[in-house]
Amino acid sequence: MATTSSMFMYSLTIQPPTSVTQAILGQFAGTKEQQIVTASGSRLTIHRPDPTQGKITTIFSQDVFGIIRTLAAFRLAGSNKDYIIIGSDSGRITIIEYAPSQNRFNRLHLETFGKSGIRRVIPGQYLAVDPKGRACLIASAEKNKLVYVLNRNAQAELTISSPLEAHKPQTLVFALVGLDVGYENPVFAVLEVDYTECDQDPTGEAFQEVEKSLVYYELDLGLNHVVRKWSDPVDRSASMLLQVPGGQDGPSGVLVCGLDNITYRHSNQDAFRVAIPRRRGVTENPERKRCITAGVMHKMRGAFFFLLQSEDGDLFKVTIDMIEDDNGQPTGEVKKLKIKYFDTVPIASNLCILKSGFLFVASETGNHHFYQFEKLGDDDNETEFDSGSFPADPSEPYTPVYFHPRASENVNLVESIDSMNPLLDCKVANLTDDDAPQIYSICGSGARSSFRMLRHGLEVNDIVDSELPSVPAAVWTTKITRNDEYDAYIVLSFDNGTLVLSIGETVEEVTDTGFLSSASTLAVQQLGEDALIQVHPRGIRHIRADRRVNEWPVPQHRSIVAATTNERQVAVALSSGEIVYFEMDSDGSLAEYDEKREMSGTVTCLSLGEIPEGRVRSQFLAVGCDDSTVRILSLDPESTLENKSVQALTSAPSALSIMAMPDSTSGGPTLYLHIGLYSGVYLRTVLDEVTGELSDTRTRFLGPKPAKLFKVSVKGEPAVLALSSRSWLGYSDPQTRNFMLTPLNYVPIEWGCNFSSEQCTEGMVGIQGQNLRIFSIEKLGSNLLQQSVALTYTPRKFVRHPEHPLFYTIESDNNTLSTTTKQQLLNSQPIVNGDGVQLPPEDFGYPRAQGHWASCIHVVDPINAKAILQQIDLSDNEAATTIAAVSFSSQGDETFLVVGTGKDLIVSPRSSSAGFIYIYRFLEDGKELEFIHKTKTEHPPSALLGFQGRLLAGIGNELRIYDLGLKQLLRKCQAQVVPNVITSLQTQGSRIIVNDVQESVVFVVYKYQENRLIPFVDDVVARWTTCTTMVDYETVAGGDKFGNLWLLRCPLKVSEEADEDGSGAHLVHERQYLQGAPNRLALMCHFYPQDIPTSIQKTQLVAGGRDVLVWTGLQGTLGVLVPFVSREDVDFFQTLEQHLRGEEAPLAGRDHLIYRSYYVPVKGMIDGDLCERYSLLANDKKQMIAGELDRSVREIERKISDMRTRVAY
């Protein structure tokens, strides 16, 4: 990367892509339990389905920095562990295993076979494995197929042979599957088309007659080579193969799925064919043929079945009947093929059936679903169709068969997994007056689309919320003896007394506990084996197991202002600034240390750490004073209460907590001192376990209120609950072990502590005003919370109301019946036996119809009503294309909603019969829209924007300025500024940034006196622009259709010339350069994030954070680009990235630098996702890189984490 770039950005992913392109099932951990491995973009994720709770949890996820094209699981004979084969764009075959002990993927083999990148003749597109795990076949879309033999050596390690070729030139591959042949030679079935004759025939007749064949390739293990064993023509529309069990379990062979038919084929059996049943209903087209888009085969003891899914989402159960011998045993010869309707689920990219009786549906769009099987559809009254009714020859006609879709009976939805794929547009705004903005987005397709609000936080499960007689100041929970599993008491401290509640079946007040109820409490602790302690302002009460009470009174004229305790030690601070320290004797009584330690100021807070295992005391006492210092005092018998170290702070400390937490740097637990300040700032510093020195301080602003800190436990790990104006949780990330500080999506609480009872084993109890709340935190994996509002059709764009927290979406679906047409069909025909049943479209989709559009405009309130307030349907086969809120100066700066539509739109090749611009007025503070008028245009408007009190519209390749008239819009000015179609517009001052669909961006200036639009600078590269935003007056950031992000800058001199006063004649007469504008934009930054950017904007994501560029990708990705401020940081991260490219090479064998430079060499960008993998390296590698960079490991980790926490989540 050239270090001469004057601008550098740091690219980070906030939410990885959520669309699943591949899903495989297997026992990857080597236990009986099955896991699901999914590929999303460049991410490989392993999930654990929990059959007892019906949930799926993510165990581990890794970015492979390459495009994952195919995945397959295989198992060597006799073993119980599945390995994963990855076909990627690296030109290599990768075999990895999941290591549960280290919770990571380990690469076992990486075999190079071709060039990198996705090419027609480089294998990687198709991958099939022999069911017995002896070989795998990896194939390209054309010509090349390679077979690798898999085996194990004497050390029981997996080995891979050199590849055996099965190439056939001028052959296209459509599908590939491994045949189940038992332990005979492995056979692979392929759908192929030979196009040799088509290529040489200019008339096109050969293309009409070309045949598709099912070909068997056999791997001869004895001779070690591959032969073409059998070939037979199949239906030309065939597009999918499914393996039929063989050996002892079934007849072997394949199911060939084509348009409207499914055929069973095998080299030594007759063909059997069934039609795919079509939906019956008034609104359904009886002629429309379906094809199979996904399928899965499931084997049970002595039986097997297939679930195949059509493009409507309907699942069909396919079974094969075999001829039986005299004893009633199946012979392996097929008798007939049977199909029946099973249920309807969302359209899937993959289906997985688990042995535990669950079905995982990796949806093509929208949320992924996890179903439980109620029954297998054997005893329902659905009609079963068998192959006896249909001819085996694909060319012969047959009578189509029909079924009525119905609500699910066989499967029951147990969990819906959030997915924002496809994410079509996004806006960052703070509508709830929180300290950090929220992310609003539109995603999904058809009836499963939604409007989603994302906010940073952890999901909190509220368990109890009960009102108390007055406002408590603090709350504690305590056990009675050390070995108790659950807490016995909740102790509440009020200003004038203490209330003790016992925890049992119910929570009720108790008075005979020995606690002093007439004074407020400062601390409660279970001490030693079976004693309790209560610290109150006038002294310390030591309550023994036999209810004897020992009291330590405070010296005269003094009171206790702060206290801290653990199982064997107590320390209190007096109002005089003295610290009194107690330790437990062998007989269980508290012994006071002789000397009191005087502090320089008033003590505000104290903390003793937990006692480490195998020790009798905590080594250190942390003392916070109002002179803005924290001192660490030693508790060693030799040097009790001696000063070890001191830390100066920016404000007085309000809370301290010494805790051991897991840590990515050392790999084990590390002792931390957590500090909360009165200014609302939280600090975490490392406390050296030997010397007591404080180092590596990290800070974070929590809120304007003083911070309080409490030690809690979440998922069995220690965590810190930090309370200010918002509640935060500090914990170790389950995967990376990095420290995370995330706000809780919960009411602000004033005090909290751990809570454990039979009903809630790991919860927390907190005080909010006069209420006592008990809650728990279930998920630590995702720190973005989603709330969604269901939409009607696929959302295209949306805008925000300029003043109120409302959004307006436009939605349209092609080849879908609109509401009015649907109603006409229902009214026009008499309804016969259940044909008129209207099923919910979110489960069954809308009725399809060629050439029809269904479109509407929605008013969405995501904050208060959390619902759609108004829906305006478009009629006359119009589809909404663009939307904007525009204020017209001719109407006294009133804001109107402007919507562009197209009539009879055909997407490709692009055509339409007319376009319209609708004007709506806002009523009731924007909650309702009133139609004013519409204006006809030659082409559908593709971009609208408010510009200097008028409307700027991109119509085809023309840029126009309109003003609002009484009957319609009035055209004021127009210019042809781009070659193809304008896709979006941005503006500042009189400068307009115009995007072309395939010719990048053009800067246009509007000269008001002359009423002219003049393009003055354009781009060198023809970028297929999808979205742009202005970073500053000269710079524009954008994304394109091929998945690139870039920043372009206009030369300063050109920019100044364009804004010179006058008519702009000097711009008009300036000589054009290569049929474009006279000047060119300079490329500042370029990066390939591997998702198609759909929106980009300059905004802040955290309170007080810097401005960053937030972009969203089609597959549900959320990312940020952070500008670097100092040259020193750039050099540091560049060197770190270079080292990581060598030390942490991408899993699938892709070169990281080449991957990020897929289309254009990466420039001015540093890959933060790669830098963050530093914390997952082995310790020796970390030390080595730290040595090269001349920094400590902690320093590097701090810099990496600061880059993220200062600007994002």
Side-chain angles (χ1 to χ4, degrees):
M1 188 195 298
T3 47
T4 51
S5 182
S6 60
M7 183 173 190
F8 276 88
M9 307 288 269
Y10 184 79
S11 159
L12 272 177
T13 304
I14 301 177
Q15 176 177 289
T18 50
S19 76
V20 170
T21 49
Q22 292 273 326
I24 54 170
L25 192 63
Q27 298 172 0
F28 301 108
T31 57
K32 284 278 174 65
E33 189 179 65
Q34 285 181 306
Q35 290 89 19
I36 298 169
V37 168
T38 60
S40 312
S42 61
R43 269 184 184 268
L44 201 61
T45 311
I46 182 162
H47 310 266
R48 203 190 100 218
D50 186 342
T52 52
Q53 292 181 314
K55 280 196 164 56
I56 287 190
T57 49
T58 303
I59 316 175
F60 179 68
S61 175
Q62 180 173 343
D63 199 328
V64 302
F65 300 109
I67 298 171
I68 301 171
R69 299 161 75 185
T70 47
L71 287 177
F74 78 95
R75 182 187 310 190
L76 292 172
S79 82
N80 59 353
K81 182 181 177 106
D82 285 322
Y83 296 100
I84 304 161
I85 306 182
I86 305 175
S88 70
D89 62 341
S90 61
R92 297 162 161 193
I93 188 168
T94 317
I95 300 184
I96 61 168
E97 66 166 345
Y98 171 65
S101 54
Q102 303 161 303
N103 191 23
R104 57 173 295 168
F105 291 120
N106 289 333
R107 187 165 70 200
L108 304 176
H109 287 287
L110 185 66
E111 296 294 320
T112 308
F113 52 69
K115 290 179 178 174
S116 63
I118 294 176
R119 303 160 195 260
R120 270 168 67 168
V121 293
I122 301 294
Q125 189 61 35
Y126 300 102
L127 181 62
V129 174
D130 169 56
K132 294 286 185 269
R134 297 167 298 173
C136 74
L137 173 63
I138 188 163
S140 58
E142 184 183 331
K143 184 184 172 188
N144 294 330
K145 299 180 196 67
L146 297 172
V147 177
Y148 286 90
V149 180
L150 304 161
N151 214 324
R152 55 160 79 88
N153 61 14
Q155 286 77 44
E157 292 164 341
L158 175 73
T159 59
I160 186 166
S161 71
S162 46
L164 304 169
E165 296 181 353
H167 302 338
K168 186 165 189 286
Q170 297 186 316
T171 304
L172 298 174
V173 176
F174 286 82
L176 175 63
V177 71
L179 234 63
D180 189 346
V181 289
Y183 282 104
E184 291 173 21
N185 278 336
V187 176
F188 297 96
V190 186
L191 274 183
E192 287 184 355
V193 165
D194 187 332
Y195 66 81
T196 317
E197 287 171 17
C198 305
D199 243 13
Q200 287 151 10
D201 172 27
T203 61
E205 281 172 29
F207 172 70
Q208 300 303 327
E209 291 163 11
V210 71
E211 282 186 334
K212 193 173 275 187
S213 318
L214 174 67
V215 184
Y216 279 8
Y217 286 91
E218 183 180 13
L219 165 66
D220 192 321
L221 289 169
L223 298 172
N224 203 27
H225 77 133
V226 185
V227 290
R228 246 173 107 95
K229 185 181 176 189
W230 175 73
S231 170
D232 207 32
V234 291
D235 179 12
R236 194 170 162 178
S237 65
S239 59
M240 194 171 172
L241 293 176
L242 283 133
Q243 161 195 330
V244 177
Q248 301 297 310
D249 306 315
S252 186
V254 289
L255 288 188
V256 182
C257 305
L259 186 65
D260 208 38
N261 70 83
I262 298 162
T263 316
Y264 167 77
R265 298 300 303 263
H266 193 35
S267 53
N268 60 4
Q269 306 251 10
D270 294 335
F272 294 90
R273 184 156 167 261
V274 290
I276 299 170
R278 305 176 189 177
R279 284 188 182 183
R280 170 162 278 159
V282 177
T283 53
E284 292 291 341
N285 174 6
E287 297 305 308
R288 186 162 75 85
K289 297 178 175 182
R290 290 7 183 225
C291 60
I292 298 296
T293 56
V296 59
M297 182 267 295
H298 186 63
K299 274 200 277 199
M300 301 172 297
R301 281 200 188 91
F304 62 89
F305 66 88
F306 295 87
L307 281 188
L308 305 181
Q309 188 182 39
S310 74
E311 73 228 60
D312 292 334
D314 301 321
L315 287 176
F316 298 101
K317 183 178 176 184
V318 175
T319 48
I320 295 177
D321 279 4
M322 289 184 278
I323 296 170
E324 293 176 351
D325 61 13
D326 304 339
N327 305 332
Q329 294 296 320
T331 57
E333 204 172 319
V334 176
K335 184 165 143 197
K336 61 184 172 190
L337 190 62
K338 298 196 293 195
I339 187 168
K340 69 196 277 194
Y341 173 60
F342 187 75
D343 263 337
T344 301
V345 299
I347 299 171
S349 56
N350 284 87
L351 298 166
C352 298
I353 297 179
L354 282 77
K355 286 179 183 162
S356 49
F358 288 90
L359 170 70
F360 175 66
V361 175
S363 308
E364 262 187 15
T365 68
N367 291 359
H368 308 301
H369 284 185
F370 193 50
Y371 294 91
Q372 184 163 18
F373 282 102
E374 298 293 320
K375 54 189 202 307
L376 291 177
D378 297 328
D379 47 1
D380 56 12
N381 48 16
E382 285 294 331
T383 322
E384 191 164 51
F385 309 102
D386 66 38
S387 51
S389 328
F390 305 98
D393 180 10
S395 57
E396 284 184 42
Y398 56 86
T399 318
V401 290
Y402 296 91
F403 73 98
H404 281 124
R406 51 158 170 77
S408 289
E409 287 177 4
N410 300 309
V411 291
N412 169 32
L413 181 65
V414 286
E415 194 189 13
S416 176
I417 301 141
D418 280 337
S419 166
M420 292 176 66
N421 160 54
L423 202 163
L424 295 149
D425 201 355
C426 163
K427 306 255 185 286
V428 178
N430 191 354
L431 302 184
T432 54
D433 291 333
D434 286 353
D435 48 2
Q438 307 84 47
I439 299 170
Y440 298 91
S441 62
I442 45 175
C443 41
S445 71
R448 299 186 70 235
S449 51
S450 58
F451 181 101
R452 301 204 183 189
M453 175 172 113
L454 279 84
R455 50 152 36 113
H456 181 215
L458 289 172
E459 204 172 334
V460 175
N461 182 11
D462 214 346
I463 299 166
V464 174
D465 176 10
S466 63
E467 204 170 331
L468 297 167
S470 62
V471 179
V475 61
W476 292 271
T477 54
T478 179
K479 304 171 177 179
I480 294 181
T481 70
R482 178 186 289 186
N483 302 326
D484 285 358
E485 197 176 336
Y486 302 120
D487 292 328
Y489 297 140
I490 295 177
V491 182
L492 289 156
S493 167
F494 297 89
D495 291 344
N496 53 1
T498 297
L499 178 71
V500 183
L501 307 173
S502 80
I503 305 167
E505 289 296 313
T506 58
V507 172
E508 49 208 31
E509 188 180 344
V510 282
T511 50
D512 58 344
T513 55
F515 281 100
L516 181 68
S517 58
S518 60
S520 62
T521 302
L522 295 172
V524 173
Q525 172 76 41
Q526 190 273 317
L527 197 74
E529 289 301 322
D530 50 11
L532 292 172
I533 214 160
Q534 176 193 12
V535 181
H536 54 90
R538 311 290 328 137
I540 301 174
R541 265 175 102 81
H542 185 186
I543 306 159
R544 305 298 276 268
D546 51 10
R547 290 282 188 273
R548 280 183 307 159
V549 174
N550 296 344
E551 182 93 33
W552 177 85
V554 172
Q556 265 186 336
H557 309 307
R558 294 177 206 169
S559 61
I560 297 176
V561 291
T564 175
T565 59
N566 63 28
E567 290 166 23
R568 301 178 56 89
Q569 296 160 289
V570 179
V572 296
L574 306 182
S575 51
S576 59
E578 292 169 309
I579 288 177
V580 190
Y581 169 63
F582 302 85
E583 210 169 292
M584 200 175 76
D585 276 354
S586 51
D587 63 348
S589 62
L590 272 184
E592 181 184 346
Y593 178 65
D594 306 339
E595 295 171 32
K596 296 183 176 58
R597 168 75 195 261
E598 286 254 3
M599 299 308 286
S600 54
T602 308
V603 177
T604 56
C605 46
L606 297 169
S607 174
L608 279 165
E610 291 289 305
I611 299 172
E613 218 166 302
R615 300 272 182 96
V616 290
R617 65 176 65 81
S618 166
Q619 297 282 74
F620 303 112
L621 168 67
V623 183
C625 299
D626 64 358
D627 58 358
S628 301
T629 58
V630 170
R631 286 180 168 75
I632 303 295
L633 306 182
S634 164
L635 297 179
D636 250 5
E638 284 82 52
S639 58
T640 310
L641 297 187
E642 274 185 24
N643 218 1
K644 280 281 190 185
S645 65
V646 65
Q647 168 121 7
L649 306 165
T650 53
S651 130
S654 55
L656 293 172
S657 174
I658 296 178
M659 274 169 72
M661 287 178 85
D663 172 40
S664 64
T665 313
S666 60
T670 300
L671 203 58
Y672 287 111
L673 171 64
H674 302 270
I675 308 169
L677 306 185
Y678 275 101
S679 58
V681 173
Y682 158 84
L683 295 93
R684 179 182 72 117
T685 91
V686 176
L687 176 60
D688 190 296
E689 295 180 33
V690 181
T691 63
E693 289 290 327
L694 296 171
S695 61
D696 187 25
T697 307
R698 317 239 177 132
T699 60
R700 188 83 179 264
F701 177 64
L702 303 183
K705 283 186 169 176
K708 296 181 188 148
L709 305 174
F710 303 96
K711 182 183 173 182
V712 292
S713 128
V714 178
K715 299 275 177 215
E717 296 270 359
V720 60
L721 184 66
L723 308 178
S724 174
S725 52
R726 254 175 117 176
S727 314
W728 299 68
L729 187 77
Y731 57 97
S732 287
D733 183 275
Q735 272 190 34
T736 61
R737 287 282 170 238
N738 284 339
F739 182 75
M740 308 276 282
L741 192 65
T742 312
L744 300 181
N745 184 32
Y746 201 52
V747 292
I749 51 179
E750 281 107 46
W751 196 279
C753 74
N754 255 353
F755 175 81
S756 175
S757 71
E758 277 185 61
Q759 291 81 11
C760 164
T761 48
E762 192 178 64
M764 294 174 209
V765 58
I767 296 168
Q768 178 239 335
Q770 206 173 324
N771 292 12
L772 184 73
R773 286 177 173 256
I774 297 175
F775 57 93
S776 67
I777 295 165
E778 301 293 328
K779 283 187 192 164
L780 290 181
S782 70
N783 59 0
L784 277 176
L785 293 167
Q786 298 188 11
Q787 284 178 328
S788 71
V789 176
L791 300 176
T792 309
Y793 304 115
T794 306
R796 303 292 170 176
K797 289 184 174 132
F798 74 129
V799 291
R800 193 197 144 183
H801 191 285
E803 287 133 34
H804 302 289
L806 298 168
F807 288 93
Y808 304 91
T809 63
I810 50 168
E811 297 154 38
S812 54
D813 269 325
N814 195 2
N815 296 339
T816 303
L817 280 182
S818 67
T819 323
T820 44
T821 323
K822 205 157 56 183
Q823 214 46 56
Q824 282 166 6
L825 283 169
L826 286 168
N827 298 340
S828 64
Q829 297 175 11
I831 288 167
V832 201
N833 60 24
D835 280 0
V837 177
Q838 287 297 299
L839 293 160
E842 53 272 17
D843 296 328
F844 295 89
Y846 292 109
R848 308 276 183 88
Q850 200 68 32
H852 284 258
W853 282 90
S855 185
C856 69
I857 304 165
H858 275 154
V859 183
V860 184
D861 178 356
I863 307 298
N864 304 318
K866 293 187 172 52
I868 288 166
L869 304 180
Q870 186 186 5
Q871 175 168 339
I872 299 170
D873 282 302
L874 298 180
S875 54
D876 281 351
N877 206 26
E878 281 181 45
T881 54
T882 181
I883 186 169
V886 179
S887 73
F888 287 95
S889 43
S890 60
Q891 302 291 319
D893 286 342
E894 185 185 346
T895 304
F896 292 86
L897 189 72
V898 187
V899 177
T901 70
K903 185 172 161 64
D904 305 327
L905 268 176
I906 296 169
V907 182
S908 177
R910 195 179 284 118
S911 74
S912 64
S913 58
F916 296 97
I917 301 177
Y918 285 73
I919 304 285
Y920 293 93
R921 179 175 265 130
F922 294 122
L923 301 177
E924 310 251 337
D925 289 343
K927 291 182 181 149
E928 276 184 35
L929 297 176
E930 177 192 31
F931 174 63
I932 308 276
H933 58 61
K934 68 176 183 179
T935 308
K936 190 173 179 180
T937 57
E938 311 85 282
H939 303 291
S942 48
L944 298 169
L945 182 70
F947 175 70
Q948 299 184 353
R950 297 196 278 188
L951 169 68
L952 193 63
I955 295 166
N957 60 0
E958 286 183 348
L959 188 60
R960 295 186 186 169
I961 296 178
Y962 284 102
D963 210 341
L964 190 60
L966 285 173
K967 292 285 176 70
Q968 63 168 39
L969 291 168
L970 311 171
R971 193 187 312 183
K972 295 292 183 191
C973 170
Q974 78 171 37
Q976 196 174 323
V977 293
V978 296
N980 304 298
V981 175
I982 294 173
T983 54
S984 71
L985 298 165
Q986 313 280 333
T987 181
Q988 273 186 35
S990 57
R991 177 169 298 180
I992 304 160
I993 310 282
V994 184
N995 291 1
D996 182 79
V997 68
Q998 65 186 64
E999 290 287 341
S1000 195
V1001 294
V1002 179
F1003 283 37
V1004 176
V1005 65
Y1006 176 59
K1007 294 294 180 188
Y1008 189 76
Q1009 301 89 342
E1010 294 283 300
N1011 194 24
R1012 287 190 79 166
L1013 290 159
I1014 308 167
F1016 64 94
V1017 58
D1018 60 16
D1019 196 7
V1020 198
V1021 180
R1023 305 177 197 282
W1024 291 64
T1025 322
T1026 53
C1027 58
T1028 54
T1029 187
M1030 290 184 81
V1031 181
D1032 58 37
Y1033 194 55
E1034 270 88 32
T1035 316
V1036 61
D1040 64 41
K1041 243 182 194 165
F1042 296 97
N1044 298 302
L1045 285 168
W1046 30 263
L1047 271 89
L1048 304 170
R1049 182 168 285 169
C1050 171
L1052 198 61
K1053 184 165 168 280
V1054 176
S1055 172
E1056 285 164 1
E1057 274 177 19
D1059 288 344
E1060 279 174 15
D1061 290 345
S1063 62
H1066 60 292
L1067 294 173
V1068 180
H1069 300 307
E1070 203 169 342
R1071 193 157 144 241
Q1072 287 194 340
Y1073 180 65
L1074 299 176
Q1075 285 91 44
N1079 302 291
R1080 292 289 176 266
L1081 294 163
L1083 179 68
M1084 302 304 295
C1085 300
H1086 201 285
F1087 189 68
Y1088 175 75
Q1090 216 245 295
D1091 198 352
I1092 300 168
T1094 52
S1095 78
I1096 186 164
Q1097 57 207 302
K1098 180 178 154 187
T1099 181
Q1100 292 174 357
L1101 279 182
V1102 294
R1106 291 215 307 274
D1107 272 354
V1108 292
L1109 289 173
V1110 177
W1111 68 275
T1112 58
L1114 187 72
Q1115 301 177 39
T1117 316
L1118 276 175
V1120 291
L1121 303 178
V1122 188
F1124 278 105
V1125 179
S1126 74
R1127 184 80 226 180
E1128 186 193 349
D1129 281 355
V1130 173
D1131 294 341
F1132 168 80
F1133 278 103
Q1134 257 181 334
T1135 322
L1136 176 65
E1137 189 184 31
Q1138 235 167 342
H1139 282 296
L1140 283 166
R1141 280 183 184 141
E1143 293 303 323
E1144 179 66 8
L1147 192 66
R1150 189 81 166 105
D1151 182 298
H1152 177 268
L1153 182 63
I1154 298 174
Y1155 166 68
R1156 288 298 188 203
S1157 313
Y1158 230 104
Y1159 294 94
V1160 173
V1162 66
K1163 179 181 183 182
M1165 283 275 192
I1166 285 164
D1167 187 357
D1169 296 340
L1170 179 67
C1171 294
E1172 288 188 344
R1173 289 197 58 77
Y1174 178 79
S1175 60
L1176 297 170
L1177 290 177
N1179 266 349
D1180 53 338
K1181 282 189 179 175
K1182 280 189 194 174
Q1183 297 286 359
M1184 192 201 84
I1185 293 175
E1188 294 278 341
L1189 288 166
D1190 203 14
R1191 308 269 176 128
S1192 71
V1193 173
R1194 279 200 187 283
E1195 227 177 318
I1196 294 175
E1197 294 200 333
R1198 180 165 105 211
K1199 272 186 108 65
I1200 294 169
S1201 87
D1202 277 358
M1203 279 306 286
R1204 182 181 276 273
T1205 52
R1206 282 186 186 159
V1207 293
Y1209 321 134

